[in-house]
Amino acid sequence: MAPTATMSNKAVVLLLLVGLLPLATLGSRSGPSAHHGHAGHGPKHSPPPSPTPATPAPVAAPAAALVRSTCNSTTYYDLCVSALGADPSSATADVRGLSSIAVSAAATNASGGAATAAALANGTAAASNAQAAPATAADATVQALLRTCAAKYGQARDALSAARDSIAAQDYDFANVHVSAAAEYPQVCKALFRRQRPGQYPAELAAREEALRQLCSVANDIIALLANSSS
């Protein structure tokens, strides 16, 4: 009787072991697999924040105020602000510096006028040479007038260069004389056309003349400020 009970107990223990074996096997397989998956992917990192764009430096308020207050003393306020603002050095210039910038803007216009007149003269000569017949007297006269205009604008440019030198030397009376002369030179061109070829004054030169006159007016108005402040 005792041997039979012992065998029954052994059978029960054996069945329990057999039932628990698959669970232990599954547990031992799942552990390394989960660990392998974690090691394969590694930790996730968030992307670095995008850099903040740089904010452009604002124009210095005192410099802009000086340009506006200076241009308020001129006849052509909008032209003055535009001409001075086109030069970056106006941001740090004093009134004397602004007067020099205004003179330089007028000189640039005068250089453009000389180039325009020369190009028109060359175009007239080319058109005459392309014709079978010799150039007419009218073509020759217009060409001569245009070359005179180119020379006058060149003289205006030179006068404005002398005005800059006078401003640098703080000789504002001579600066005014040079700027005034620069404004007069292109008017000689217009007067010659009116006398010799009425109605043929080129529109390009008429626009240059008016722009130069106004720029010279702005420059002289600022020079007058300098002269008054230094007296």
Side-chain angles (χ1 to χ4, degrees):
M1 187 70 182
T4 303
T6 303
M7 291 180 63
S8 299
N9 292 334
K10 289 181 179 181
V12 171
V13 172
L14 181 61
L15 289 174
L16 290 174
L17 290 174
V18 171
L20 294 174
L21 182 60
L23 294 176
T25 305
L26 291 173
S28 63
R29 288 181 180 177
S30 62
S33 175
H35 177 74
H36 176 73
H38 176 74
H41 292 287
K44 294 184 179 180
H45 299 282
S46 59
S50 57
T52 304
T55 303
V59 178
L66 180 60
V67 168
R68 289 194 299 269
S69 63
T70 301
C71 290
N72 273 329
S73 300
T74 67
T75 306
Y76 303 99
Y77 174 84
D78 291 337
L79 176 62
C80 175
V81 171
S82 175
L84 297 183
D87 191 322
S89 65
S90 64
T92 56
D94 55 8
V95 176
R96 183 153 65 102
L98 294 179
S99 70
S100 183
I101 292 171
V103 170
S104 294
T108 299
N109 176 280
S111 295
T116 299
L120 290 172
N122 292 336
T124 302
S128 299
N129 293 335
Q131 297 174 357
T136 63
D139 292 335
T141 300
V142 170
Q143 183 182 356
L145 289 174
L146 289 171
R147 295 198 183 282
T148 299
C149 291
K152 292 301 177 183
Y153 275 98
Q155 291 173 327
R157 178 194 57 222
D158 295 342
L160 291 165
S161 178
R164 278 198 304 266
D165 294 339
S166 296
I167 291 172
Q170 301 185 31
D171 191 345
Y172 303 127
D173 289 338
F174 270 108
N176 176 273
V177 170
H178 290 309
V179 173
S180 298
E184 294 290 334
Y185 284 123
Q187 296 183 22
V188 174
C189 171
K190 179 173 65 177
L192 290 174
F193 263 96
R194 282 180 175 175
R195 285 203 302 265
Q196 299 183 32
R197 288 293 177 267
Q200 296 187 38
Y201 186 44
E204 302 95 316
L205 292 183
R208 287 281 184 181
E209 177 197 346
E210 178 60 18
L212 181 60
R213 184 187 68 79
Q214 294 184 12
L215 286 168
C216 287
S217 173
V218 168
N220 265 340
D221 288 340
I222 300 176
I223 291 170
L225 284 177
L226 289 171
N228 293 334
S229 63
S230 62
S231 59

